[in-house]
Amino acid sequence: MSTFVAQAALAAAGLSISCLALAAATLVQDVRVFDGKAVHERRSVLFDGAVVVDAHFRGPVPQGARIVKGAGRTLLPGLIDAHTHAFKQFDLPVLFGVTTQIDMFTAVPIMQQARRSMAAGQNAGRADLFSAGILATAPNGHGTQFGVPIPTLTRPGEAQAFVDARIAEGSDFIKIVLESGGQGTAKMNSLDIATAKALIDAAHLRGKLAVVHVSTELDARAALDAGADALVHLFLGAAPDAQAVDSLARLAKRKNAFVIPTFTVLESMAGVGGDDLLGDAGLAALVERDGAATLKARYGQAARPQLLATPKAVTAAMAKAGVPILAGTDAGNTGTLYGISMHRELAALVEAGLSPTAALTAATSAPAAAFKLGQRGCIAKGCKADLLLVEGDPTRDITATRRIVEVWKDGQSANALRDTKRQLVAQEQSGSKRQSLPLDGRISQFSDAELGSPFGSGWMPSTDQFAGGKSTVKLDVLPALPDGQVPLAVQASVAPGLPFAWSSVAFMPGTTPMQPVDLSAAKVVRFKVRGDGKTYQVMLMGAASNRPSSVPFVAGKEWAEISVPFSAFAGIEPTAVAMLAFSAGPQPGEYRFELADVRLLAE
């Protein structure tokens, strides 16, 4: 989940649903239909207003109805992304055929605004949203690092009050976190099993589903044993044990649980790109620069495709055991993007062993049934007229879902929305400008008057306080060095409590803080440093990353010049850089270093 949830919450009420075609009776003629479960090779489907009137229409064309040719095409229910974090880019999902998002953690105002829009029948320009709202986690646990103050739990006795508060806010289900870190991530606090079970029981007492975030087999088994309705992630691993995998699948089946593997984000964690969605011109034409940077970025610092062996094996075993598999992307995270990532998730499910038809079921009727969403994820009389028309046959070639002809949301065509987005993307590309670098590359212009720079909004302190941390930093300008460069002393105090604690000085290349800039002209960042002998990090933050990529360096007692190639910052797209920082942490303690002559160089 991104660090910009709070800002997005403030904007949630101002979303536009312009550019939609007015609803009218529409007849899709002679089309292959995947109805959410089965394939029908040739049918005509009539929908009027927001519902399907006849899924096997054989009468005369109704007067005034719009006719859409279906020959050679397939009509699907609108796709349901069963795991997102919906806090921004609200226009994107529908453009790619995702008409419903099941959100696993977002700001409460966003959830409540979506609920109001849906109830008023005014949500045609956005995917419908069913949300957990605030997740259940431990103090300083996963979910607390994103800049939104949230209630946490420490003991079972707090469970019922927590669940009741979420329901009062409008949560559709309860999301529970079992996560202590690992696979290259920092250690963090986690709920204990007793508290997780109490939350599950409390949710069930109120008639709500309780789904659990896990990242290890041990936690997956514990969650299922505790009565969880679902695992909303699988876990990485290079060497799956066949007996353990089958045992876990049997346990999930016995407990009547469902599973959302979230391959898209697991691939990001493994540093793997999957297939190139942006290599498809039709999809890329709908993705703005910030979105492209997010999609291309990766959590994993190096490609380790072997780590995907375990989730693939578990998914195959679950499917064989009859455990419902749901397609979910974890969109909102690095390496994912709303809407478009569903097309990668479908392909990943097929690669894990599901048939294309089973993968489509995982993105339509299966999540509708699992989350009790009513008449959606289906094409039948009375089903919601959320529909996706594609060229070809995705029941044989799953990548055909990417060849989108038209999307309907609440019976209204999204073609005008798609056209508008294409125009915006084309304008952005035509007006895109790479940031030119100073002749000497120097971006540090420190003086008693200002912490200046030749472009951008300059240098400033940056700490974990916005995420609830207590770290501090003090910046002092020092006398000039013999070469005329003015050093900056950075006195950092990193406080305990957060798994990603930091205290830093940061350069913002945009005219406003965290505005992305195309720094692809730079290939190297070079700087001079001295200090207390401790290890620090030079970090780049991408435009839509929720975590920076870092490279360590040691600040020794004598001045030293350090060069770091941009290629060392794994997962960062240089065309959309939002911040360059020199940081202390995450280990608590007192730090001091001096920084001078920071340059961005073309070679």
Side-chain angles (χ1 to χ4, degrees):
M1 181 150 178
S2 165
T3 55
F4 304 111
V5 174
Q7 294 95 320
L10 296 176
L15 301 176
S16 170
I17 57 171
S18 60
C19 301
L20 282 162
L22 293 177
T26 301
L27 180 65
V28 184
Q29 286 185 323
D30 302 324
V31 68
R32 180 184 301 105
V33 174
F34 172 74
D35 65 9
K37 296 179 181 179
V39 183
H40 309 279
E41 283 300 326
R42 186 177 178 182
R43 284 189 171 183
S44 293
V45 176
L46 177 69
F47 55 96
D48 192 1
V51 298
V52 175
V53 174
D54 193 335
H56 193 11
F57 183 79
R58 285 164 286 190
V61 177
Q63 185 175 2
R66 178 189 170 211
I67 298 175
V68 178
K69 300 299 184 182
R73 297 169 170 173
T74 303
L75 187 68
L76 314 161
L79 304 179
I80 301 173
D81 191 333
H83 189 141
T84 71
H85 295 284
F87 59 90
K88 64 176 183 176
Q89 296 170 314
F90 299 97
D91 63 324
L92 280 181
V94 169
L95 305 185
F96 296 100
V98 174
T99 54
T100 300
Q101 295 188 90
I102 299 173
D103 167 77
M104 294 290 167
F105 173 29
T106 193
V108 171
I110 291 175
M111 173 183 68
Q112 294 175 338
Q113 174 60 33
R115 181 181 288 267
R116 288 191 293 269
S117 296
M118 291 163 60
Q122 297 177 346
N123 208 53
R126 301 180 291 270
D128 288 344
L129 190 70
F130 297 88
S131 179
I134 299 301
L135 50 70
T137 192
N140 300 317
H142 179 68
T144 64
Q145 71 268 40
F146 301 123
V148 179
I150 63 173
T152 57
L153 300 94
T154 59
R155 55 190 177 83
E158 299 168 331
Q160 193 66 62
F162 179 92
V163 167
D164 290 347
R166 304 290 74 73
I167 294 172
E169 289 172 345
S171 294
D172 295 292
F173 58 95
I174 302 301
K175 161 82 174 292
I176 300 163
V177 175
L178 294 179
E179 175 64 76
S180 56
Q183 293 290 357
T185 64
K187 294 295 182 182
M188 59 189 73
N189 295 335
S190 179
L191 295 172
D192 58 44
I193 296 302
T195 302
K197 186 178 189 312
L199 284 161
I200 293 168
D201 292 342
H204 290 169
L205 184 65
R206 301 295 189 239
K208 297 292 185 181
L209 294 176
V211 304
V212 182
H213 163 117
V214 299
S215 62
T216 68
E217 180 188 348
L218 183 64
D219 282 343
R221 290 182 180 277
L224 292 171
D225 282 331
D229 295 294
L231 304 177
V232 297
H233 289 292
L234 286 181
F235 40 88
L236 295 172
D241 178 276
Q243 289 185 335
V245 167
D246 289 342
S247 171
L248 180 62
R250 290 195 301 272
L251 175 61
K253 177 63 175 176
R254 189 165 65 251
K255 294 291 186 175
N256 295 315
F258 59 90
V259 173
I260 310 173
T262 62
F263 276 106
T264 307
V265 81
L266 293 179
E267 288 177 343
S268 175
M269 293 169 65
V272 175
D275 57 64
D276 183 12
L277 294 171
L278 294 176
D280 184 308
L283 298 181
L286 296 168
V287 180
E288 295 177 82
R289 184 174 64 182
D290 289 2
T294 308
L295 194 59
K296 289 188 282 187
R298 290 292 176 269
Y299 280 129
Q301 300 289 304
R304 295 184 292 169
Q306 66 274 15
L307 293 180
L308 296 170
T310 291
K312 287 181 177 181
V314 173
T315 297
M318 293 278 187
K320 182 178 179 181
V323 175
I325 306 296
L326 278 55
T329 64
D330 211 0
N333 276 283
T334 298
T336 69
L337 188 64
Y338 303 102
I340 188 173
S341 284
M342 177 56 78
H343 299 283
R344 172 58 202 156
E345 191 70 27
L346 289 169
L349 289 172
V350 172
E351 292 167 11
L354 273 66
S355 69
T357 299
L360 293 172
T361 298
T364 53
S365 61
F371 283 94
K372 304 172 184 173
L373 304 183
Q375 293 289 84
R376 67 181 71 216
C378 55
I379 300 179
K381 182 178 180 179
C383 287
K384 201 166 184 289
D386 292 351
L387 301 164
L388 168 62
L389 181 65
V390 301
E391 292 284 359
D393 184 1
T395 67
R396 295 179 181 273
D397 173 12
I398 197 63
T399 63
T401 62
R402 306 174 190 194
R403 299 193 287 275
I404 297 172
V405 177
E406 191 159 359
V407 180
W408 291 270
K409 173 67 170 55
D410 293 347
Q412 300 186 34
S413 175
N415 271 1
L417 281 174
R418 285 166 54 83
D419 289 343
T420 298
K421 178 62 77 171
R422 287 190 193 95
Q423 293 170 11
L424 289 173
V425 171
Q427 290 170 5
E428 181 187 60
Q429 291 175 346
S430 64
S432 178
K433 184 178 180 182
R434 177 187 290 186
Q435 174 65 51
S436 59
L437 304 177
L439 291 178
D440 60 2
R442 188 176 294 117
I443 59 171
S444 57
Q445 296 177 346
F446 305 144
S447 70
D448 290 335
E450 63 175 350
L451 302 181
S453 60
F455 63 88
S457 49
W459 297 79
M460 58 191 67
S462 175
T463 73
D464 56 26
Q465 290 188 20
F466 90 96
K470 298 181 180 179
S471 301
T472 59
V473 66
K474 184 174 183 292
L475 307 179
D476 290 308
V477 174
L478 300 177
L481 298 174
D483 63 3
Q485 292 304 304
V486 176
L488 183 69
V490 181
Q491 185 77 39
S493 179
V494 178
L498 290 183
F500 302 103
W502 80 91
S503 178
S504 69
V505 59
F507 168 65
M508 303 294 180
T511 54
T512 59
M514 299 306 296
Q515 178 188 25
V517 170
D518 185 346
L519 293 185
S520 58
K523 305 302 180 187
V524 174
V525 54
R526 193 175 75 191
F527 56 96
K528 294 178 181 177
V529 68
R530 72 176 177 183
D532 52 15
K534 295 181 180 180
T535 299
Y536 296 85
Q537 292 80 38
V538 55
M539 304 189 302
L540 279 187
M541 174 75 86
S545 301
N546 60 15
R547 196 163 52 183
S549 179
S550 62
V551 176
F553 67 90
V554 175
K557 294 182 179 180
E558 304 296 330
W559 282 106
E561 186 172 81
I562 297 174
S563 294
V564 180
F566 265 47
S567 59
F569 297 100
I572 299 298
E573 173 55 46
T575 60
V577 175
M579 181 181 74
L580 168 68
F582 298 83
S583 181
Q587 295 80 14
E590 301 298 320
Y591 298 81
R592 187 183 188 281
F593 67 96
E594 297 173 12
L595 180 70
D597 198 15
V598 183
R599 305 189 190 209
L600 298 178
L601 302 171
E603 56 183 5

